[in-house]
Amino acid sequence: MNIEIRTDKNIQNSERLITYVRAELNAEFQRYSERITHFSVHFSDENAAKGGADDIHCMIEARPAGLKPVVVNHHGHNIDTAIHGAIDRLKRSLEHLFEKLDDPRAAVPAFAEARDTEGAQDLED
């Protein structure tokens, strides 16, 4: 997994931030490590020096192998809440995507199959 981290001019990009974000992404998406080729994380401070509630924006783009990118956004009052909110959203989106790919018929209720087989038996009689 390649992880790219970018910040705007209002957030200082440091080695500590890079290490922290990489560790969080690796911990949360380790089970999908062979299915995801690239992460791109962007941080921005929308109000800059003015401050304000939930002004830190985190956007994460994940690129699953052979599929279209999945992009999520989250706002928080600091970098930690912004990254964790975005990771939670991305985790739900990717789990949903991979579940659909692995078992596309999972949404069909179990009783529909039983009804189809009963109808086939009635036709044979």
Side-chain angles (χ1 to χ4, degrees), residues 19 22 24-25 32 35 38-40 49 57 83 95 98-99 101 113 115 122:
T19 303
R22 284 186 177 169
E24 292 296 316
L25 288 172
Y32 301 122
R35 296 180 104 175
H38 183 82
F39 284 106
S40 182
H57 177 250
I83 187 70
E95 285 174 351
F98 292 144
E99 284 175 6
L101 289 173
E113 294 174 13
R115 201 173 350 143
D122 292 340

Side-chain angles (χ1 to χ4, degrees), residues 28 54 90 98 105-106 115 121-122:
E28 291 293 330
D54 295 343
L90 183 61
F98 292 144
R105 298 187 58 103
R115 201 173 350 143
Q121 291 173 353
D122 292 340

Side-chain angles (χ1 to χ4, degrees), residues 38-59:
H38 183 82
F39 284 106
S40 182
V41 182
H42 299 269
F43 290 104
S44 61
D45 186 349
E46 295 180 347
N47 293 339
K50 291 186 258 180
D54 295 343
D55 67 332
I56 304 295
H57 177 250
C58 178
M59 188 273 303

Side-chain angles (χ1 to χ4, degrees), residues 36 55 58 69 86 92 94 99 102 110 125:
I36 301 172
D55 67 332
C58 178
R92 280 184 298 212
L94 289 174
E99 284 175 6
D102 292 343
D125 292 336

Side-chain angles (χ1 to χ4, degrees), residues 3-64:
I3 300 173
E4 177 183 341
I5 301 162
R6 295 184 180 186
T7 61
D8 70 356
K9 64 181 180 178
N10 300 312
I11 297 177
Q12 182 180 2
N13 194 358
S14 65
E15 190 63 37
R16 182 175 174 227
L17 175 65
I18 293 169
T19 303
Y20 175 71
V21 172
R22 284 186 177 169
E24 292 296 316
L25 288 172
N26 283 326
E28 291 293 330
F29 298 102
Q30 183 176 5
R31 67 186 271 203
Y32 301 122
S33 62
E34 60 272 347
R35 296 180 104 175
I36 301 172
T37 60
H38 183 82
F39 284 106
S40 182
V41 182
H42 299 269
F43 290 104
S44 61
D45 186 349
E46 295 180 347
N47 293 339
K50 291 186 258 180
D54 295 343
D55 67 332
I56 304 295
H57 177 250
C58 178
M59 188 273 303
I60 302 177
E61 175 183 329
R63 294 182 181 246

Side-chain angles (χ1 to χ4, degrees), residues 100-118:
K100 284 177 72 174
L101 289 173
D102 292 343
D103 192 8
R105 298 187 58 103
V108 177
F111 61 86
E113 294 174 13
R115 201 173 350 143
D116 291 342
T117 58
E118 289 173 8

